[in-house]
Amino acid sequence: MSLVRVHNFSVSLDGFGTGEGQELDAPFGHAGSRLLEWAIATRTFREMGLHGESAASFGVDDAFASAWGPGIGVEIMGRNKFGPVRGPWEDEEWKGWWGDNPVFHTPVVVLTHHPRPMLVMDGGTTFHFVDSDPVSALEQARALVGDRDVRVGGGVSTVRQFLEADLIDHMHIVLVPIVLGRGERLWDGLEGLEQRFDIEATPSPSGVVHLVFTRRTAR
């Protein structure tokens, strides 16, 4: 069976995966770009269209960042990752943060209580809007791609729900040395999570620590 994977998911020292107050010009709320500064510097994220002032890096951070794509056939994301719009869609003008040619180039299952028609974008990305629990969403995602792996892309509550349902096989968390103080925490309600995984930590010269969680036993 295909694996369920999380990649490049940043959290602060106090466990927040996003700040408070998401808006159109602030996708991570008051956290700004601080959770992603390590990633913006990498070749992988530069190729996704994120721009930085220095030359792209090819070191430890990029080695981890670049693992997000190989073997992935579909992404599952929450409504808040797709955009800042809440509640029923007033219209269908919002098509995500990524422009006409999103970075995914695969089907993307968007979890929302307000489904809308499938959205076909350039480059092979198709957004499917479904009102489903994690188990059902995973079944729908696998039906789209067969035996290729499924990436759970976020946001925070979506990753936490998949962890609560014990559906994640591989998870790459990036511990960023900042304290946000408020926002949405990843680890709440997940006491004892470490017992399910083998965990490896790799420090980076950029100051972040890459934590890789690998499921100990097959589901």
Side-chain angles (χ1 to χ4, degrees), residues 8-46:
N8 302 332
F9 199 87
S10 299
V11 298
S12 64
L13 291 175
D14 47 349
F16 293 100
T18 190
E20 189 175 83
Q22 184 190 53
E23 297 178 356
L24 180 60
D25 59 352
F28 290 89
H30 84 285
S33 63
R34 288 180 289 166
L35 286 168
L36 286 180
E37 287 178 358
W38 72 271
I40 292 171
T42 65
R43 172 186 56 89
T44 296
F45 275 74
R46 295 288 175 84

Side-chain angles (χ1 to χ4, degrees), residues 1-2 26 56 61 65 70 74 84 89 105 111 123 167 183 203 208:
M1 182 178 292
S2 65
D61 292 336
V74 60
W89 303 95
H105 308 302
L111 304 181
L167 295 175
V208 304

